[in-house]
Amino acid sequence: MRGAVGRGRRGLVVLAVLAGVVAAGGCGGGAEPGGADTAGSAGATDSAGKDSSPQASAGSLTWEFEYIGKFSGRFTDVAVLADDDIWAVGTANNGQANAHLLHYDGTQWEREPLPEALGTSDYPPILHEVGTESLWLQPQPQAYEEDGLNSWAQWDGTRWSAVPNPPPGNVGDFEAKGPDDVWALTDERAARHWDGTRWTTTRLPYGASDLAVVGRDDVWAVGSRSTGPGTELGSGERYSQPASMHWDGASWKPVETPQARFEEPIPPEPSAGLGQVFALAGGEVRAYGNNSFNHGEVENEPADEFIRLRWDGSQWVEQEPAPGGCALRTPVGQDDKGLFLNGNWYLTDDGRCVKIKRHRLPLSTGARKGSNQSLWLEDIHRVPGTDEWLGAGHIQVNQSGAPFDAPVVVRLRSGG
């Protein structure tokens, strides 16, 4: 995971138990939102829907509505080449794939047809910023699994065309430092690199779930291992352990990673692993994961343990705990003053934990005054050349008789 822009939707299974995971499933089908294009003047609230007066929110961080979709569902992705070249992908709550592709040209949002180069799948595709002048549109992994579809499209700022040489295989994590430096995980043990002319396949020492690219000869992968120290429980059972690997420009090498283990008696089917690795702008690398087990089989269960590591230049060490509501959050983006964390939190470089606020939906969307509203973001990106950020996701509206999900793109000025 890159620190420059953040990829909130890249949360993986091992991180799914972390409190406040960014991505969340839509609530059940309800009334269609009315389809307002702009927000009303309602006061700011925190992301859980608690009221906060506009005066109280002055000087704090607030997500402002950039666009409210005209369907019940959610936006799953956003990509930003410029403030007048923004793309978002969404899906409706109608039981079908039914992908929505929207474009903002600096004056208005309009729904666009999926590029022909992408093929025939209706699954919502995935957007990737590849350098500063190009977007790649990836077919959903589900489309690849069902139909073997591997047709990618690219946007050059003017038109869509086919990616002439897309990454082979079913791509999981995808990280691009530029058009000639792209990494992709295509299964747990295979990483592919694009140098601008061809893909090269490299074999990973252990199963990996996430990548972070610091530089061309400085790439990290994290996951878990099922062999080696700490993995044997006896009676043929295994206790998977956190694993990390480093690319030095020539090969992937395993890196010694702290083990995780519950105290005796060890709970049923324990497993530990890393699900996210994040590279900060200054080159520091952090990794996140958990130590869990199969809950519900014994009394007096221990609590899951959260793993938070930092590479100090020679070894992995425990991170300093973050304060307050930031304690169990993971980073999804970084600006000049701190880290954006999942669940709409922000951790400043001087150690302050800030809850990012948002506005309530306008009544014209069908959201009532007494409704409970929560903002769930799938992805955030910085607007190039500015201190503004865009996020994509949905507002979950819980109200009697007519709950719904309102797809939203939101904007925040970070001042960093």
Side-chain angles (χ1 to χ4, degrees):
M1 178 176 288
R2 292 179 296 161
V5 294
R7 306 294 296 173
R9 69 167 186 280
R10 299 298 186 212
L12 295 143
V13 174
V14 75
L15 284 180
V17 298
L18 284 174
V21 172
V22 175
C27 63
E32 294 285 327
D37 287 344
T38 59
S41 57
T45 71
D46 66 23
S47 64
K50 299 176 183 177
D51 289 333
S52 172
S53 69
Q55 291 81 6
S57 65
S60 61
L61 297 175
T62 302
W63 287 113
E64 308 282 350
F65 289 124
E66 174 79 7
Y67 177 75
I68 303 173
K70 301 176 182 179
F71 59 94
S72 178
R74 59 179 177 155
F75 286 118
T76 58
D77 207 356
V78 66
V80 188
L81 286 184
D83 205 17
D84 60 356
D85 193 2
I86 303 169
W87 292 86
V89 172
T91 183
N93 290 341
N94 58 9
Q96 302 176 12
N98 194 22
H100 291 241
L101 179 64
L102 288 97
H103 183 237
Y104 179 71
D105 63 1
T107 59
Q108 62 183 347
W109 286 89
E110 288 192 357
R111 184 173 180 181
E112 301 279 351
L114 291 177
E116 292 184 4
L118 195 63
T120 58
S121 174
D122 288 327
Y123 288 109
I126 301 170
L127 286 161
H128 299 292
E129 296 170 5
V130 180
T132 60
E133 299 179 353
S134 177
L135 301 178
W136 285 12
L137 200 55
Q138 172 193 349
Q140 266 283 351
Q142 188 171 353
Y144 181 89
E145 292 167 3
E146 293 181 0
D147 306 321
L149 184 67
N150 197 39
S151 300
W152 294 48
Q154 62 182 352
W155 171 258
D156 62 5
T158 303
R159 66 185 184 91
W160 288 102
S161 61
V163 174
N165 195 358
N170 194 2
V171 173
D173 191 28
F174 181 100
E175 304 292 339
K177 290 289 282 187
D180 60 353
D181 190 9
V182 179
W183 285 90
L185 287 177
T186 52
D187 66 38
E188 287 188 346
R189 298 287 297 275
R192 301 182 191 268
H193 181 253
W194 173 255
D195 64 3
T197 59
R198 65 189 181 98
W199 290 97
T200 301
T201 302
T202 55
R203 189 72 173 167
L204 295 161
Y206 305 116
S209 54
D210 199 28
L211 292 169
V213 181
V214 181
R216 190 171 292 272
D217 299 334
D218 189 1
V219 185
W220 289 85
V222 298
S224 62
R225 58 179 175 83
S226 58
T227 60
T231 61
E232 295 184 1
L233 279 179
S235 304
E237 294 186 63
R238 291 284 177 179
Y239 193 153
S240 63
Q241 290 295 318
S244 60
M245 299 138 274
H246 182 254
W247 172 262
D248 60 6
S251 64
W252 287 99
K253 294 180 174 62
V255 177
E256 184 174 352
T257 309
Q259 297 177 30
R261 195 175 186 90
F262 290 106
E263 294 183 359
E264 298 287 348
I266 294 177
E269 302 176 36
S271 63
L274 298 173
Q276 181 186 353
V277 59
F278 190 89
L280 274 64
E284 181 179 313
V285 177
R286 300 181 182 181
Y288 303 83
N290 71 323
N291 181 28
S292 188
F293 60 96
N294 188 12
H295 290 265
E297 293 192 13
V298 295
E299 297 181 359
N300 301 319
E301 293 183 339
D304 284 350
E305 298 174 352
F306 303 104
I307 302 169
R308 304 169 66 86
L309 303 175
R310 175 179 62 84
W311 183 253
D312 70 357
S314 60
Q315 63 181 344
W316 289 110
V317 297
E318 293 286 338
Q319 291 184 35
E320 291 293 325
C326 296
L328 299 180
R329 305 289 171 173
T330 59
V332 295
Q334 181 186 15
D335 68 2
D336 301 333
K337 295 184 178 180
L339 292 173
F340 290 89
L341 308 179
N342 65 350
N344 300 307
W345 291 85
Y346 183 84
L347 181 64
T348 67
D349 288 340
D350 60 6
R352 291 183 298 113
C353 181
V354 179
K355 182 63 174 177
I356 303 176
K357 303 183 189 315
R358 60 153 181 85
H359 293 284
R360 290 177 61 84
L361 289 169
L363 298 180
S364 59
T365 63
R368 301 172 189 153
K369 288 185 178 180
S371 63
N372 293 321
Q373 301 181 22
S374 300
L375 172 63
W376 301 94
L377 293 181
E378 304 269 352
D379 195 16
I380 70 169
H381 282 271
R382 193 170 192 165
V383 180
T386 76
D387 61 0
E388 296 185 345
W389 289 72
L390 289 178
H394 72 283
I395 296 283
Q396 179 179 332
V397 180
N398 291 329
Q399 57 188 10
S400 177
F404 64 88
D405 295 337
V408 295
V409 176
V410 289
R411 184 183 291 261
L412 178 147
R413 182 182 179 122
S414 69

